[in-house]
Amino acid sequence: MKPASSAGNRKTAFAAALAVAFIAAAALAGAWFFQLVLEIVPCPLCLQQRYAYYLAIPFALLLAFAIAKGAPRCLIMPPLAVLALAALGNAGFGAYHAGVEWGFWPGPAECSGAVLDLGKGSLLENLDRVKVVRCDEVQWRFLGLSLAGYNALISLLMAAIAGWGIAALAGKVR
């Protein structure tokens, strides 16, 4: 029989994996709600920020399943670290995008630079071809934060929860 603290640490890691999956699913559901119901069209950076969530959901659920089936600690901690790093990376990406929106630094040329090249074809032909959602224009803000800012905060929360699972397995917290 396993020591009580070991079982509690595994429960914490299990809860952390499930929480990361749930938060990622809720974030994606929110993003799709804004896109499909409120008709806020995502820019290319917004779409790229969803990749971490698309990774986190199945990865965290698979990890939770492995924990529930008694996978050894050495096979649980690395995936939790991957989840934490992916979430931290996405938080940085969200902060970068928020900085582009605030004008702190330039964004990618394909969604923040010049929209129209008048040297090719007529003006009407160019207007028909160009359907760019700009990365440096905020379409929605709440309490001063855009969706990119909220993505950074949500991703930081996911990284902290994955770190909590790692700390529990290392015996640092319960």
Side-chain angles (χ1 to χ4, degrees):
M1 188 163 156
K2 295 179 183 176
S5 63
S6 175
N9 294 347
R10 293 180 66 77
K11 285 181 184 178
T12 300
F14 177 78
L18 281 183
V20 167
F22 175 78
I23 292 168
L28 277 177
W32 283 102
F33 175 81
F34 275 93
Q35 182 177 344
L36 299 175
V37 176
L38 301 180
E39 297 180 352
I40 295 176
V41 181
C43 73
L45 289 179
C46 293
L47 293 172
Q48 290 171 355
Q49 288 171 71
R50 295 180 186 181
Y51 296 164
Y53 299 120
Y54 290 131
L55 165 80
I57 295 168
F59 197 74
L61 288 174
L62 185 60
L63 177 59
F65 178 76
I67 294 168
K69 292 296 181 183
R73 189 175 82 156
C74 65
L75 293 180
I76 298 170
M77 288 180 81
L80 276 172
V82 168
L83 285 172
L85 290 173
L88 278 175
N90 203 43
F93 195 40
Y96 163 75
H97 187 189
V100 169
E101 292 173 339
W102 283 102
F104 294 152
W105 41 75
E110 59 269 7
C111 64
S112 299
V115 175
L116 207 48
D117 180 7
L118 295 176
K120 298 179 183 173
S122 72
L123 179 60
L124 290 177
E125 288 172 353
N126 282 320
L127 288 175
D128 283 340
R129 281 192 313 222
V130 175
K131 305 277 192 261
V132 175
V133 177
R134 296 190 53 90
C135 297
D136 56 358
E137 293 177 2
V138 178
Q139 297 182 57
W140 184 87
R141 272 195 209 278
F142 180 69
L143 300 175
L145 286 179
S146 67
L147 292 172
Y150 283 106
N151 172 60
L153 294 177
I154 292 166
S155 294
L156 281 175
L157 175 64
M158 289 172 45
I161 290 171
W164 172 57
I166 292 169
L169 289 173
K172 304 292 183 192
V173 296
R174 291 185 109 195

